[in-house]
């Protein structure tokens, strides 16, 4: 079902959003030299990190809530339309190769389905019902988290996703780029990164998209740190699926242990290329099966497994 909102009402609503504001001082930007436009755009982008910094306490509280649930087997689900949806899909798709997560643990949903990542699907963002239909197959539980993403903070698809998740008693996060947004108000954790008017009026793939990318990076990365997917700042759960990642795996084991190449290769062979296990065999002086058992008993946390090894 598609929204039948009065177009005049929608235009009025958009005019009230800072992300949609017109900037008369940039009305002749197309007449400027390319270098000047690049400097203007770079200056605009430089303000985004400060806008994110202003909301760090809210972001941190949301991350702790997500990590607590994921530690009990919950999932992290992103839902958005257009650029916001693509940011969620991108972050979700990067988790398996980066942190060796099962693809079902971090999921990205975009209004209009996977095809909408590359081709706009008209009207998809206007439907709360479409969001519910996309989430229904996931059979959400109280251990899951759904993050609605929308630059305006009023996209029906994102709001519908949060409303459906709350009805299922899942944790909800509303990520928007305007203050006082309906999306943030609908969620357990409202995160509003106010980046101000865009360089190009209405193009929220710019500062708003950058802000969403930064926050989603924090949500997934810090959650994975809390879940023991790293050892210090080393990605010890990296999946070595190609030559570059195999080389990276070797280097990570070397950085964590200081061992020589021969010992590292033997440890990786004994643990079927699992970086975390290989580190444990070297640092704790145990064999591959023992490393696997210690890690299983420590819920995958390498520091805890090392402490348990004696």
């Amino acid at each position: 079902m598609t929204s039948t909102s009065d177009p005049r009402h929608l235009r009025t609503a958009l005019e009230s959003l800072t992300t949609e504001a017109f900037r008369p001082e940039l009305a002749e930007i197309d007449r400027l030299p390319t270098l000047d436009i690049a400097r203007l755009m770079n200056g605009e982008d430089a303000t985004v990190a400060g806008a994110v910094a202003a909301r760090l306490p809210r972001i941190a509280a949301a991350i702790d809530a997500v990590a607590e649930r994921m530690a009990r087997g919950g999932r992290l689900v992103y839902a958005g339309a257009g650029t916001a949806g693509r940011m969620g899909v991108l972050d979700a798709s990067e988790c398996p190769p980066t942190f060796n997560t099962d693809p079902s643990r971090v999921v990205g949903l975009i209004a209009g389905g996977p095809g909408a990542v590359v081709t706009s699907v008209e009207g998809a963002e206007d439907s709360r019902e479409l969001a519910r239909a996309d989430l229904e197959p996931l059979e959400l539980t109280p251990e899951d988290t759904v993050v609605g993403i929308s630059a305006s903070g009023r996209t029906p698809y994102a709001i519908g996703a949060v409303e459906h998740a709350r009805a299922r008693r899942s944790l909800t996060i509303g990520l928007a780029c305007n203050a006082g947004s309906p999306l943030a108000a609908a969620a357990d954790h409202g995160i509003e990164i106010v980046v101000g008017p865009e360089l190009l009026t209405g193009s929220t793939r710019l500062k708003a998209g950058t802000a969403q990318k930064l926050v989603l990076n924090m949500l997934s990365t810090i959650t994975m740190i809390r879940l023991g997917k790293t050892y210090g700042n080393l990605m010890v759960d990296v999946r070595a699926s190609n030559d570059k990642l195999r080389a990276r795996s070797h280097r990570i084991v070397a950085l964590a242990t200081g061992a020589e190449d021969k010992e590292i290769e033997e440890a990786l062979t004994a643990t079927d290329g699992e970086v975390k296990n290989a580190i444990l065999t070297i640092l704790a002086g145990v064999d591959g099966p023992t490393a696997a058992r210690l890690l299983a008993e420590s819920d995958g946390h390498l520091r805890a497994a090392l402490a348990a090894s004696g």
Side-chain angles (χ1 to χ4, degrees):
M1 183 183 298
T2 301
S3 171
T4 56
S5 299
D6 182 346
R8 290 172 298 179
H9 175 75
L10 181 55
R11 288 195 294 270
T12 300
L14 288 176
E15 288 171 1
S16 69
L17 301 176
T18 59
T19 50
E20 299 286 339
F22 173 64
R23 300 174 63 178
E25 76 275 18
L26 297 176
E28 296 193 5
I29 191 174
D30 57 325
R31 302 179 68 178
L32 294 176
T34 299
L35 180 57
D36 288 351
I37 299 174
R39 284 175 175 148
L40 280 170
M41 190 168 181
N42 181 245
E44 292 292 307
D45 290 341
T47 68
V48 177
V52 173
R55 295 292 180 266
L56 287 179
R58 286 183 174 271
I59 295 168
I63 291 169
D64 283 339
V66 173
E68 179 184 347
R69 286 161 177 78
M70 290 198 77
R72 298 195 295 262
R75 296 164 292 179
L76 175 60
V77 182
Y78 298 128
T83 295
R86 293 181 187 102
M87 289 297 171
V89 170
L90 173 62
D91 198 77
S93 67
E94 289 177 339
C95 286
T98 305
F99 300 109
N100 202 14
T101 58
D102 186 288
S104 67
R105 297 296 307 283
V106 185
V107 179
L109 299 177
I110 183 170
V117 172
V118 294
T119 304
S120 178
V121 177
E122 296 300 327
E125 72 173 57
D126 295 327
S127 174
R128 280 176 162 86
E129 291 79 5
L130 180 59
R132 297 187 187 103
D134 287 347
L135 285 167
E136 197 65 51
L138 296 181
E139 299 181 344
L140 296 174
T141 75
E143 304 298 351
D144 296 324
T145 301
V146 171
V147 184
I149 315 166
S150 165
S152 68
R154 60 163 303 282
T155 304
Y157 183 89
I159 296 172
V162 165
E163 290 174 341
H164 176 80
R166 290 201 74 167
R168 293 299 183 95
R169 296 185 297 119
S170 298
L171 180 73
T172 56
I173 299 171
L175 174 57
C177 293
N178 284 287
S181 67
L183 176 59
D188 298 309
H189 293 265
I191 301 172
E192 295 173 327
I193 311 297
V194 182
V195 295
E198 297 283 10
L199 184 80
L200 302 179
T201 301
S203 183
T204 52
R205 62 178 286 271
L206 300 177
K207 288 189 297 184
T210 300
Q212 291 160 6
K213 172 63 173 169
L214 292 177
V215 174
L216 297 183
N217 276 350
M218 288 184 179
L219 282 177
S220 59
T221 301
I222 301 176
T223 292
M224 294 303 162
I225 291 172
R226 290 284 167 258
L227 294 176
K229 293 291 186 177
T230 66
Y231 178 63
N233 65 339
L234 297 175
M235 297 194 309
V236 291
D237 254 334
V238 64
R239 176 179 293 169
S241 56
N242 57 43
D243 289 342
K244 181 188 76 173
L245 292 178
R246 278 186 283 274
R248 180 177 290 168
S249 296
H250 187 287
R251 182 168 183 269
I252 288 172
V253 176
L255 289 168
T257 66
E260 297 295 331
D261 286 351
K262 183 176 184 295
E263 186 178 9
I264 292 170
E265 290 300 330
E266 289 174 350
L268 285 168
T269 299
T271 58
D272 294 324
E274 293 289 343
V275 171
K276 190 183 291 184
N277 301 48
I279 292 171
L280 187 55
T281 65
I282 294 171
L283 294 182
V286 299
D287 59 19
T290 301
R293 176 180 59 79
L294 288 169
L295 283 165
E297 292 172 352
S298 302
D299 294 323
H301 289 257
L302 180 53
R303 288 193 190 278
L306 282 166
S309 71

